[in-house]
Amino acid sequence: MSKTPTVIVTRRWPSVVEDELREMCADVRLNEEDRPMSREQLQDALRGADCVLPTVTDPMDAETLGASGIRCKFLGNFGVGFNHIDLDAAKKAGISVTNTPEVLTDCTADIAMILMLTTARRIGEGERHVRSNSWKGWRPTHLLGTRVTGKTLGLVGFGRIACAVARRAHFGFGMKILFHDPFEPPQKAVREVGATSYPTLEQMIPDADFLSLHCPGGEKTRHLMNRERIALMKPGSFLINTARGDVIDNRALIEALKKGVIAGAGLDVFEGEPNLDPGFLELENAVLLPHLGSASRETRIAMGRRVLKNLRAWLDGAELPDRVA
Ligand code: DGY
């Protein structure tokens, strides 16, 4: 590596962290116009820099990372999810990869709660009703939703974000917590909310009034919520997704929402986002958000600083705090 490492950042970051990065490294190339980079531009970045700091929308797959003449040795991902990075291809190219865990847990859990509340209580419909001047006044049967307090929440995955959702739901809304996770969950977190573990998803799904997805994206979980599993959901229940869009089979979900198989869905992520299936736009019983899970000023700054912490460690030849490859 040259003495002055070249660092390329693929999208705009909060300016305070961009400034901190510039103080840390003399040769930093920012994406001033915040235009998404094409595969070719990403490959050029990998060829032209020692460190590339991508984010969750940059396809760092085998094709991108398989480019010839790659100089990059450090990928510091701005984001906790890394299903857009082919870790084997990165290893093959001799690139270390880090992510940004922990700092976005609370804000993402907040968005899962927001989606539960907004879908169950028909907040989007209500807002549209008022804004379109259609509201004729209070009446006992107007826009009745579903009570959240005291209901049962099924968590698909019981990692950091799911545990934070469980605490909010249990202590804030008196909800009963169920989960399914193929990996051994943290026992302290299980005990804290009195959560019940299910050996299979198929056993848990019919018991939940709200089903919230907290598993990683990628091939292993692609369309985990398919037509068959959606059909197992309780009539009147809600599906919440703050994980990755491809965990749900869109067509199956749209059909289930149209037919009233389930009562509603709260979605912060979409397969192929930002181009979502137009079928979603016609559904009154879906709340649709533009991937806002970690979108608070505090969290995005903390995410940027977490990337810098990993970059610092890499520059110093120290152990990487959040190494994923
Ligand atoms: C992530 O970090 O993986 C989120 O999807 C964006 O905050």
Side-chain angles (χ1 to χ4, degrees), residues 174-253:
M175 295 178 88
K176 186 176 166 198
I177 309 297
L178 323 176
F179 72 94
H180 165 72
D181 195 321
F183 299 100
E184 183 65 29
Q187 284 312 312
K188 190 166 165 259
V190 174
R191 277 196 306 275
E192 190 184 1
V193 295
T196 306
S197 169
Y198 279 67
T200 67
L201 252 189
E202 283 72 14
Q203 284 166 287
M204 180 180 80
I205 290 173
D207 288 349
D209 299 304
F210 292 85
L211 192 69
S212 189
L213 307 181
H214 299 285
C215 51
E219 262 323 295
K220 285 193 188 134
T221 55
R222 188 170 178 277
H223 291 188
L224 184 79
M225 288 308 292
N226 54 19
R227 184 164 282 107
E228 291 72 32
R229 293 202 177 97
I230 292 172
L232 290 177
M233 289 179 71
K234 244 188 201 181
S237 64
F238 297 87
L239 180 60
I240 308 299
N241 192 6
T242 53
R244 282 294 181 263
D246 57 5
V247 180
I248 298 179
D249 176 344
N250 279 345
R251 289 317 307 170
L253 176 60

Side-chain angles (χ1 to χ4, degrees), residues 274-290:
N275 306 314
L276 51 159
D277 190 314
F280 281 120
L281 302 177
E282 294 160 16
L283 295 166
E284 282 291 349
N285 55 352
V287 173
L288 315 171
L289 296 183

